[in-house]
Amino acid sequence: MNSLDGKVALISGAARGIGAETARLMIEAGAKVLIGDVLDERGRETARTLGAAALYARLDVTSEEDWKAAADAVLDRFGKLDILVNNAGLFLGKDIETASLAEWERLSAVNLTGVFLGTKLCLPALRDAALRDAARQSAHGSAVVNLASTAGLIGSTQDPLYSMTKGGVTL
């Protein structure tokens, strides 16, 4: 992994799994990281394990207020935001005939609306950090990383609805 010295990241869905491992690797590479998740106890434990370079904030990716609070928390603690990792995701495990409309709406809210809200509400801080880098004539700016799935490229028979949402993220 390239050096992330001096970079600050916000990762959604980072209490466990891919998000937690991404946070660990980013910290190992020199970044500071805000771990956002709805799994409060697990998220706090992940942040504690990762040390002073990690901060936990409750983040329901379907909530504008939570995104604003997470962006404020990362700026208050670390002073900037360079990298947004939209990692949070939901797997339903039902086919289209058995899924309810409420389940589809929740799946879409987490997997698609969460990416939209995170990008929209973190963009001002990401832009500010990129402009500061440009002023220092750094070749490195800000980044938005949207994690999807191979199920977004090739439809999953296990969860075609998940594939639909991850296909949207992929595009």
Side-chain angles (χ1 to χ4, degrees):
M1 179 177 275
N2 292 330
S3 174
L4 295 175
D5 289 340
K7 296 293 185 181
V8 177
L10 188 164
I11 306 171
S12 69
R16 60 188 171 123
I18 293 169
E21 183 64 9
T22 301
R24 186 189 69 75
L25 290 169
M26 289 180 123
I27 288 169
E28 190 175 283
K32 292 178 175 52
V33 176
L34 183 135
I35 294 165
D37 211 303
V38 294
L39 303 173
D40 293 327
E41 189 174 317
R42 186 94 181 249
R44 282 190 287 274
E45 178 61 22
T46 298
R48 187 194 64 70
T49 300
L50 294 174
L55 169 69
Y56 175 74
R58 179 170 184 75
L59 176 58
D60 173 349
V61 296
T62 69
S63 165
E64 284 186 77
E65 293 76 24
D66 279 13
W67 273 111
K68 289 174 186 173
D72 288 345
V74 78
L75 294 174
D76 290 346
R77 172 79 175 266
F78 301 123
K80 66 176 184 164
L81 177 61
D82 300 291
I83 304 163
L84 170 63
V85 180
N86 285 307
N87 171 66
L90 180 64
F91 184 83
L92 188 57
K94 292 185 175 183
D95 65 39
I96 198 163
E97 293 179 299
T98 58
S100 69
L101 178 58
E103 290 170 323
W104 165 252
E105 288 172 342
R106 178 71 181 147
L107 182 72
S108 296
V110 172
N111 292 359
L112 289 169
T113 304
V115 172
F116 163 74
L117 288 174
T119 304
K120 176 182 176 69
L121 297 171
C122 290
L123 193 57
L126 292 163
R127 185 182 302 116
D128 288 347
L131 290 172
R132 276 187 255 146
D133 278 353
R136 289 193 315 262
Q137 293 170 7
S138 169
H140 308 287
S142 294
V144 176
V145 179
N146 296 326
L147 297 183
S149 169
T150 56
L153 300 172
I154 301 167
S156 166
T157 58
Q158 301 298 313
D159 194 338
L161 301 175
Y162 175 82
S163 290
M164 288 169 66
T165 62
K166 290 303 182 173
V169 172
T170 300
L171 291 175

